[in-house]
Amino acid sequence: MQRTLSNTALALTLALASLSGSAFASTAEKIAAVQAARFDLTQAIQSAQSQHGLKVLQAEIDTKKKQPVYEVSGINAQGREIKLKFSALDAAKVLENKDDGAAEKKDTDRLAAAKIGINDAIATALKHTPGKAIEVDLDDHLGVLTYDVKIINAANTEVEVRVHAIEGNIHQ
């Protein structure tokens, strides 16, 4: 009985993943998106920062209608959480600009506490593990503030590297 429930749960999870589209993009889909992109994750973040005034919390490459897109989330000067989707083929093309309301205190506190920038964290992670950054997220792990950077390495394997957001070194 328990095995049947586990199989049913697995089947339901896979069905939901396929219905939700890009929310569960596979490593292969991310590799294809990175290869098709005309600019990288750090450039998408720079665009969100300079053109939209965001302090970026999270960014990733994904696909939408089989086209590569960058999804960037951050907080603007008014304390609002903004989610942007950029075409990965044209840095100037914003596909979506969504205001999710007032930013959560935990997110504003994390941004205030971080001593290194998000693109510096990506650069540190790529020095440690060469490849292409596909995702970055400012997060708290048991009281340690880190940037979690996902990288596709030379073997086309997804690797996560944690960079200490205060000290700027690799966090194990």
Side-chain angles (χ1 to χ4, degrees):
M1 177 71 170
Q2 187 173 10
R3 185 178 186 125
T4 303
L5 287 175
S6 295
N7 289 341
T8 303
L10 177 60
L12 181 58
T13 301
L14 292 171
L16 286 173
S18 68
L19 288 175
S20 65
S22 65
F24 294 98
S26 70
T27 299
E29 290 170 324
K30 297 237 180 186
I31 291 168
V34 165
Q35 290 172 342
R38 292 196 181 129
F39 62 102
D40 66 19
L41 188 65
T42 58
Q43 291 168 306
I45 291 168
Q46 287 170 342
S47 181
Q49 292 169 329
S50 64
Q51 295 177 19
H52 301 276
L54 295 186
K55 292 183 178 180
V56 177
L57 290 162
Q58 187 274 337
E60 69 178 305
I61 193 163
D62 213 337
T63 55
K64 183 176 182 176
K65 297 181 182 176
K66 298 188 180 186
Q67 294 296 314
V69 296
Y70 287 106
E71 298 177 359
V72 181
S73 297
I75 299 173
N76 68 12
Q78 293 75 37
R80 312 281 296 170
E81 185 176 345
I82 305 297
K83 292 185 178 172
L84 300 172
K85 288 186 181 178
F86 292 94
S87 166
L89 303 175
D90 178 0
K93 188 173 183 181
V94 176
L95 304 172
E96 186 176 312
N97 184 337
K98 182 178 176 191
D99 183 333
D100 276 350
E104 292 184 30
K105 183 177 179 347
K106 68 176 182 160
D107 290 332
T108 57
D109 289 349
R110 287 176 183 167
L111 282 170
K115 300 295 182 211
I116 67 164
I118 197 165
N119 280 340
D120 293 332
I122 292 170
T124 298
L126 288 171
K127 283 180 189 169
H128 179 269
T129 305
K132 297 212 180 224
I134 59 168
E135 185 175 336
V136 61
D137 184 26
L138 180 60
D139 206 357
D140 185 304
H141 295 280
L142 303 173
V144 178
L145 190 61
T146 63
Y147 287 102
D148 300 340
V149 183
K150 290 185 181 174
I151 297 168
I152 299 293
N153 65 14
N156 283 334
T157 303
E158 189 174 311
V159 179
E160 183 172 281
V161 178
R162 287 192 174 149
V163 179
H164 199 289
I166 296 169
E167 297 171 6
N169 57 353
I170 301 298
H171 182 73
Q172 303 299 332

